[in-house]
Amino acid sequence: MAQQETQPTISVKDLAAKFNWERVTGDEESLKRKLVTAETNRPGLELAGYFPNTVTKRLTILGDKEILYIEQEMDEVSQRRSFEFLTGEDTPAIVIAHGHECPAILAEIAIRKNFPIFKTAVETAHTIVNVTNYLDEKLAHSIIIHGELMRIYGIGVMITGPSGMGKSEIALELIKKGHQLIADDRIDCYRIHNVLVGRTPKMLEGFMELRGVGIINVGRMYGVGAFAHQTNIDFQIELVSFDGNEEYDRVGIEEKEYSEIMGVKILKMRIPVSGGRPMSTIIETAVTNYLLLQDGFDSAKEFEEMVLKKIAANKEEDEDNAALS
């Protein structure tokens, strides 16, 4: 399963546009600053005169308490000392929430340093939640995995395996059966709120490559419901070449196998591919069995219990017959 890590970025300009913030200071050049973390900073310590280096790369948010403290507790000297730190080169921007005006000394320093300051009428807590959730998604670390990502019976299924295994052809059969394509060949995997999410680049959405045919538009051929923009990745199916000398899981009572992707574990099943096997039907069956497992029904364990009960009953019958004879 080939993986390639990517590092996303977002500019202050894009963030401000997302939430329609009013710009107070900073020109277009200042809006090119990049955000690298979803964490925000409410600068209580900095206003009190303590300047930790750990917060310099966070978006700074001033709310009711901070503005009140600045107005009532800070003299000009302490304001200048704190604001010089808060408008440092590493800090992307300052957002003033709850409709407050920007303190005059802060505006003066920001104009001199061409530092971006915004204000919004949204309450402080809501501003923080909105920003954190948005940045958590946009700045989530991602890796690229080569394979197919499908939504089958509502479950995000990643189909992986060596090149030439027929993954795209299997995915096409699943689409014809009414399931949805998320990504063909390239899966962009993100960890968002401890959940693994899969997408494909915008320009590739709804397209597939088939050897001998070329690029096809799945949406045009099978309808807009044949593909989706993203899905949680819940289950991995790894296709392997059939080898008569290798032991495969036949009953299902063996220890379950998992893949760990960006710290998230997902159930993994290895399925051998050989000529004549209806792979799309087998994958549908595997997903149905996965759904039963999530509901607490393990077909393999149920079968094992039936066999053990039958063995115990036969043993008891043999013992009774031996006692009678």
Side-chain angles (χ1 to χ4, degrees):
M1 185 169 60
Q3 301 181 1
Q4 178 185 344
E5 189 167 352
T6 60
Q7 174 62 57
T9 60
I10 184 171
S11 69
V12 168
K13 181 177 182 178
D14 291 337
L15 183 63
K18 167 67 178 178
F19 296 107
N20 296 314
W21 291 335
E22 178 185 342
R23 193 191 333 173
V24 179
T25 64
D27 61 14
E28 285 296 320
E29 184 65 26
S30 73
L31 301 186
K32 295 179 181 179
R33 291 175 178 240
K34 299 295 183 182
L35 292 110
V36 296
T37 177
E39 296 177 333
T40 59
N41 176 39
R42 294 192 67 175
L45 291 174
E46 294 89 326
L47 296 179
Y50 176 69
F51 307 119
N53 290 328
T54 55
V55 300
T56 55
K57 295 183 178 181
R58 300 178 186 177
L59 181 74
T60 297
I61 297 179
L62 301 178
D64 294 334
K65 291 185 292 184
E66 290 80 14
I67 295 298
L68 189 63
Y69 184 81
I70 292 168
E71 293 175 346
Q72 297 186 0
E73 303 295 334
M74 298 181 70
D75 58 23
E76 181 178 344
V77 173
S78 59
Q79 284 190 39
R80 289 188 180 279
R81 183 174 64 247
S82 295
F83 294 157
E84 285 288 350
F85 175 80
L86 291 175
T87 56
E89 291 184 2
D90 290 337
T91 304
I94 292 175
V95 180
I96 302 172
H98 217 153
H100 291 289
E101 295 299 322
C102 179
I105 295 176
L106 175 58
E108 174 197 324
I109 293 173
I111 291 171
R112 171 169 53 83
K113 299 170 76 170
N114 193 25
F115 181 89
I117 296 178
F118 303 91
K119 66 178 183 179
T120 176
V122 178
E123 293 181 357
T124 311
H126 290 165
T127 299
I128 293 173
V129 170
N130 292 341
V131 168
T132 302
N133 286 343
Y134 178 73
L135 290 181
D136 209 17
E137 180 173 342
K138 290 296 182 180
L139 298 178
H141 287 275
S142 68
I143 59 173
I144 297 172
I145 297 179
H146 295 288
E148 307 295 312
L149 183 59
M150 304 286 301
R151 184 180 288 157
I152 303 173
Y153 301 135
I155 299 297
V157 182
M158 182 167 62
I159 304 172
T160 60
S163 179
M165 188 64 70
K167 297 185 295 294
S168 294
E169 289 78 4
I170 294 170
L172 184 60
E173 285 295 322
L174 289 165
I175 292 167
K176 291 167 67 176
K177 290 186 172 189
H179 305 295
Q180 289 182 306
L181 173 74
I182 310 297
D184 173 60
D185 190 46
R186 167 176 169 156
I187 307 169
D188 293 346
C189 296
Y190 300 81
R191 178 174 175 170
I192 302 174
H193 309 312
N194 294 321
V195 174
L196 202 62
V197 176
R199 306 173 184 149
T200 198
K202 195 73 177 176
M203 67 176 295
L204 300 181
E205 282 185 359
F207 289 91
M208 290 186 70
E209 179 190 1
L210 293 174
R211 286 184 177 85
V213 177
I215 304 296
I216 65 170
N217 188 321
V218 171
R220 291 279 180 87
M221 295 180 70
Y222 301 101
V224 293
F227 72 95
H229 303 297
Q230 69 177 45
T231 186
N232 292 351
I233 301 176
D234 306 299
F235 184 35
Q236 179 187 355
I237 292 177
E238 181 181 5
L239 304 179
V240 296
S241 298
F242 181 81
D243 184 348
N245 297 320
E246 185 173 346
E247 288 291 330
Y248 296 105
D249 192 346
R250 298 178 65 90
V251 180
I253 60 175
E254 293 81 357
E255 189 71 24
K256 298 291 188 290
E257 186 177 356
Y258 292 86
S259 284
E260 185 169 329
I261 302 172
M262 304 183 73
V264 179
K265 286 188 175 182
I266 60 171
L267 187 64
K268 174 182 175 181
M269 180 178 292
R270 296 170 66 247
I271 297 180
V273 177
S274 63
R277 298 194 83 195
M279 294 307 301
S280 61
T281 302
I282 291 172
I283 288 175
E284 283 181 321
T285 304
V287 175
T288 303
N289 197 49
Y290 169 85
L291 287 168
L292 289 173
L293 283 172
Q294 300 310 298
D295 287 338
F297 298 102
D298 192 328
S299 301
K301 291 290 177 65
E302 187 179 356
F303 177 75
E304 181 186 27
E305 289 172 4
M306 289 174 56
V307 170
L308 292 175
K309 286 180 181 178
K310 183 64 175 176
I311 292 173
N314 290 341
K315 183 179 179 182
E316 184 177 346
E317 184 178 347
D318 290 343
E319 290 173 352
D320 291 342
N321 292 335
L324 291 174
S325 63

